[in-house]
Amino acid sequence: MARAQSPIQLIPQPVSVQPQTGVFTLTKSTTINYDQADGKAVADMLSQQLNVPTGFGFVAKPGKAGKIQLNLNTTSNAQLGSEGYTLDASPKGVTITANRPAGLFYGIQTLTQLLPKEIGSQATTTATWTVPAVKITDYPRFGWRGIMLDVSRHFFPKDDVKQYIDQLAKLKFNTFHWHLTDDNGWRIEIKSLPKLTEVGAWRVARTGHYGDLAEPKPGEPTPYGGFYTQNDIREIVAYAQARNVTIVPEVDVPGHSMAALAAYPELSCTKAIVSVNPGTAFSEWYGNGTFKMKVENTLNPSDEKVYEFLDKVFTEIAALFPNPYIHVGGDECYKGYWAQDPGCQALMKKLNIRHVEDLQGYFMGRVEKILTAKGKKLLGWDEILEGGISPTATVMSWRGIKGGIEAAKEGHNVVMTPSTFAYLDYMQGDPTIDAPIYANLRTQKTYSYEPVPDGVEAKYILGGQGNLWTEQIPNLRYAEYMTYPRGWALSEVFWSPKEVKNWPNFVRRMETHFERADIAQVNYSKAIYDAIVRTTMKDGKLHMELASEAPGLDIYYSIDDTMPDQFSTKYSQPVDLPEGPITLRVVTYRAGKPIGHLITLSRDALQKRIGRF
């Protein structure tokens, strides 16, 4: 691949990178030392990380004269904070210095990115293990740098979750939001409520596109699913903590509760028997954000037994997760069953509220009291603003940035996670290539995201995260494909100074990370190399514009039923397509070699995408 490549290609980009002269060479005799006991765990992790690909057998030891030296400041460096570090590499060795072990941890992630790409190999390999001489000062822009993984739609085994967390930690993400319950499965053992996993963790087996699957049949076996025991949870929490990752659990209530109601139907308004949903069309959406549920999936806010149930759930969850937050969902709660329920009507009368929507505010208030009693803070999706919430609640803004702006102006802490920039389940490239789902989100748009909206005090923006909903993501390999490279882009949005962001520069660094990911056997999408096909109608003619995310690509196309290559028509300016039943074929090249997918679109398909993508 012909391209200019600097030896220092880091993601996320540090605050300051000053290349120096020469290289440090790692050999069998290189020593790894840490100057304080608190640095031992990170030094041990570095040794293990280096030993697999090099085969050198490093053992970290206490001391102050290591060729790779990890030091903790005795007097805190205010600039670095709790997660920053300095890295000084010269031909004589590498010194990483930080105030806290978290900073040392991030320093070693940068060090491994400075080493050759073979450092990611899962077996011993040969390489010249050199580190370019450089002085780096680095610290994060935001304190909350997260990725959410939904394990309800598809269950991800314990080892897959650990592997995913490990990848995130290498990118300096520090929060793993774990979406543990929804309509499609309850994934966490609650010992006082055994049916939640005996019934709620399992569903009928179905293959195909989510939303188009067949309803469960009476008596049909439910082999598909799984759950995490409390011991599994403890193990994963400890694994994450060792990598400076905080896990925020989510139990989605009062809507999105079909798996819970399959186990305990008496907690709904109708008390109807429901099944854990395998991905059927159980709701009708009306295009303006409103919808109707065909099957009840909401807890009954007027039933005291619901709050007794939630107290049991949150008692056990609070004991498993040491972080201060529990996410309680609050999104997409259908209130049609509440409106028809005598108990809900009586509660509304008692509370002197006229709108059924306000019952959600009452419900969330009760939930927050439960969490507060367990020493936890309530965190929810931006719908929790609608019914009124306490000043101490934290809001996750997902329906664009509007909810985040509103919440911040009311003095709430906010985590920005808008679907328009941060939904990793959305298509990354052309919908004829990626499996179709709700919307399209390209890496370049994700990279362009600015988490602090204009007119909002930055102190209320804790940070942001990407969300990976898994309706159509059945396994870790595909979860990786959907996460990267957009997850790399978000790592830089949340960690790096706003001023260093530069898309062409990021693309160059991203391409070196494609090579690193190949060796580490981490999957990713190459949609940035695919052509972007946009159409409009102008003066009654179908008008086509082609573009690419990666700079410097040549785009070739045909409309005469030939397969395009570098000898076909080269795109240079917008084109008016001729009348008739044409088929457009588009392909991208770089340096004379094909690089993107072939995209094929009929005239009908071109007309249907007018004004889209």
Side-chain angles (χ1 to χ4, degrees):
M1 222 179 269
R3 65 170 182 269
Q5 183 176 320
S6 153
I8 298 174
Q9 304 279 22
L10 302 170
I11 294 177
Q13 183 80 327
V15 172
S16 167
V17 179
Q18 297 175 292
Q20 308 290 305
T21 305
V23 298
F24 168 68
T25 304
L26 198 67
T27 68
K28 261 187 183 170
S29 61
T30 297
T31 49
I32 299 176
N33 282 183
Y34 51 92
D35 75 335
Q36 291 184 42
D38 282 355
K40 181 182 188 305
V42 177
D44 288 344
M45 203 174 286
L46 175 62
S47 301
Q48 291 159 17
Q49 218 168 329
L50 299 179
N51 284 343
V52 173
T54 65
F56 286 165
F58 297 124
V59 177
K61 293 178 180 173
K64 296 186 177 179
K67 289 289 185 185
I68 297 177
Q69 180 67 40
L70 305 186
N71 291 337
L72 285 168
N73 288 322
T74 49
T75 303
S76 184
N77 176 334
Q79 183 189 35
L80 298 182
S82 61
E83 295 183 297
Y85 64 92
T86 59
L87 185 152
D88 190 344
S90 73
K92 293 180 180 177
V94 178
T95 300
I96 299 172
T97 307
N99 294 329
R100 309 280 305 134
L104 291 181
F105 178 81
Y106 292 133
I108 72 169
Q109 305 318 314
T110 298
L111 174 58
T112 53
Q113 286 192 24
L114 290 168
L115 284 157
K117 61 190 176 186
E118 289 79 10
I119 200 67
S121 173
Q122 293 169 27
T124 303
T125 185
T126 52
T128 305
W129 302 109
T130 56
V131 175
V134 65
K135 288 182 187 292
I136 292 173
T137 300
D138 202 13
Y139 45 86
R141 181 179 174 199
F142 293 104
W144 187 299
R145 307 180 302 280
I147 295 284
M148 185 218 73
L149 178 65
D150 162 23
V151 294
S152 171
R153 273 53 180 237
H154 290 282
F155 176 69
F156 286 71
K158 175 176 69 176
D159 287 344
D160 285 358
V161 174
K162 287 161 79 171
Q163 195 173 326
Y164 192 71
I165 289 169
D166 201 37
Q167 293 167 11
L168 300 180
K170 289 176 192 295
L171 295 162
K172 305 183 174 74
F173 286 103
N174 67 355
T175 303
F176 178 65
H177 173 175
W178 207 0
H179 186 82
L180 289 162
T181 76
D182 213 300
D183 298 316
N184 313 98
W186 183 285
R187 303 295 178 211
I188 180 168
E189 177 189 29
I190 304 296
K191 291 187 176 181
S192 59
L193 296 160
K195 281 201 232 168
L196 283 173
T197 45
E198 288 168 7
V199 175
W202 306 95
R203 65 182 191 241
V204 297
R206 294 285 185 272
T207 304
H209 195 273
Y210 185 90
D212 297 333
L213 303 179
E215 296 282 351
K217 299 182 186 76
E220 187 179 358
T222 55
Y224 189 81
F227 66 92
Y228 308 101
T229 66
Q230 294 198 0
N231 281 339
D232 291 336
I233 298 284
R234 289 186 191 97
E235 185 181 328
I236 293 168
V237 166
Y239 187 88
Q241 281 179 320
R243 287 153 184 79
N244 200 49
V245 171
T246 295
I247 299 185
V248 175
E250 181 183 357
V251 172
D252 203 347
V253 291
H256 285 278
S257 294
M258 208 179 295
L261 295 177
Y264 298 99
E266 65 273 19
L267 300 177
S268 69
C269 289
T270 62
K271 312 208 175 344
I273 303 299
V274 295
S275 301
V276 179
N277 193 277
T280 68
F282 57 59
S283 57
E284 290 175 6
W285 285 83
Y286 303 125
N288 59 355
T290 62
F291 67 103
K292 177 183 178 182
M293 287 297 302
K294 299 177 182 177
V295 184
E296 190 171 12
N297 75 335
T298 45
L299 300 174
N300 180 353
S302 70
D303 188 344
E304 284 303 309
K305 289 192 175 63
V306 166
Y307 303 106
E308 291 166 19
F309 164 84
L310 291 173
D311 191 82
K312 289 178 180 178
V313 168
F314 290 128
T315 295
E316 296 189 37
I317 286 178
L320 291 168
F321 294 94
N323 92 89
Y325 293 97
I326 291 179
H327 198 301
V328 295
D331 60 314
E332 298 175 336
C333 175
Y334 177 64
K335 308 190 178 67
Y337 294 97
W338 296 1
Q340 295 165 9
D341 180 70
C344 288
Q345 293 302 311
L347 178 60
M348 287 172 66
K349 194 171 180 183
K350 180 182 168 187
L351 297 171
N352 197 25
I353 56 177
R354 292 170 52 205
H355 301 292
V356 72
E357 286 76 17
D358 293 333
L359 279 179
Q360 181 159 341
Y362 167 79
F363 177 92
M364 285 298 169
R366 293 285 302 268
V367 169
E368 186 166 27
K369 283 192 178 77
I370 292 170
L371 296 184
T372 303
K374 301 179 197 322
K376 300 295 183 184
K377 295 180 187 174
L378 182 142
L379 173 64
W381 302 112
D382 56 51
E383 284 97 332
I384 67 172
L385 288 165
E386 291 166 9
I389 51 171
S390 81
T392 52
T394 300
V395 174
M396 223 170 234
S397 183
W398 76 275
R399 295 177 300 175
I401 62 172
K402 180 173 169 287
I405 294 170
E406 183 186 331
K409 287 188 171 172
E410 289 178 13
H412 294 284
N413 284 337
V414 177
V415 178
M416 297 299 285
T417 175
S419 59
T420 41
F421 293 94
Y423 265 40
L424 303 176
D425 55 314
Y426 286 0
M427 294 173 284
Q428 300 173 81
D430 197 276
T432 62
I433 307 294
D434 275 356
I437 199 164
Y438 314 113
N440 188 281
L441 176 60
R442 293 184 178 273
T443 301
Q444 187 171 8
K445 183 166 183 186
T446 294
Y447 187 74
S448 75
Y449 182 48
E450 168 46 49
V452 180
D454 290 342
V456 167
E457 284 189 71
K459 69 178 183 180
Y460 293 115
I461 308 299
L462 300 181
Q465 70 179 34
N467 292 337
L468 187 66
W469 301 102
T470 60
E471 285 93 328
Q472 288 175 210
I473 300 173
N475 55 45
L476 177 64
R477 189 85 185 146
Y478 198 59
E480 292 171 346
Y481 174 88
M482 296 302 286
T483 303
Y484 310 117
R486 291 178 297 190
W488 302 342
L490 286 177
S491 78
E492 191 149 304
V493 169
F494 302 145
W495 177 280
S496 305
K498 185 177 172 179
E499 300 73 32
V500 306
K501 278 171 65 175
N502 177 302
W503 173 249
N505 177 276
F506 179 75
V507 171
R508 285 196 295 277
R509 287 179 285 125
M510 176 168 48
E511 291 189 278
T512 67
H513 282 253
F514 285 165
E515 296 171 9
R516 287 177 174 273
D518 287 339
I519 286 173
Q521 298 177 2
V522 173
N523 202 8
Y524 57 90
S525 165
K526 292 183 179 176
I528 63 147
Y529 296 130
D530 295 347
I532 300 167
V533 183
R534 296 190 180 103
T535 56
T536 52
M537 285 302 285
K538 279 194 176 177
D539 302 323
K541 290 186 175 180
L542 189 59
H543 186 77
M544 175 186 77
E545 294 184 21
L546 303 179
S548 68
E549 287 182 271
L553 301 190
D554 296 317
I555 306 173
Y556 298 95
Y557 71 96
S558 70
I559 52 173
D560 60 359
D561 279 350
T562 60
M563 293 296 283
D565 61 14
Q566 73 269 41
F567 300 101
S568 302
T569 305
K570 183 177 178 180
Y571 178 80
S572 60
Q573 61 186 41
V575 178
D576 286 331
L577 294 169
E579 296 293 329
I582 59 164
T583 298
L584 173 74
R585 291 179 174 85
V586 183
V587 69
T588 53
Y589 273 66
R590 183 161 65 188
K593 294 191 175 176
I595 195 166
H597 290 99
L598 173 71
I599 294 171
T600 305
L601 295 165
S602 67
R603 184 183 188 87
D604 185 49
L606 288 163
Q607 283 181 308
K608 281 180 180 168
R609 64 171 56 198
I610 287 171
R612 299 173 67 206
F613 309 113

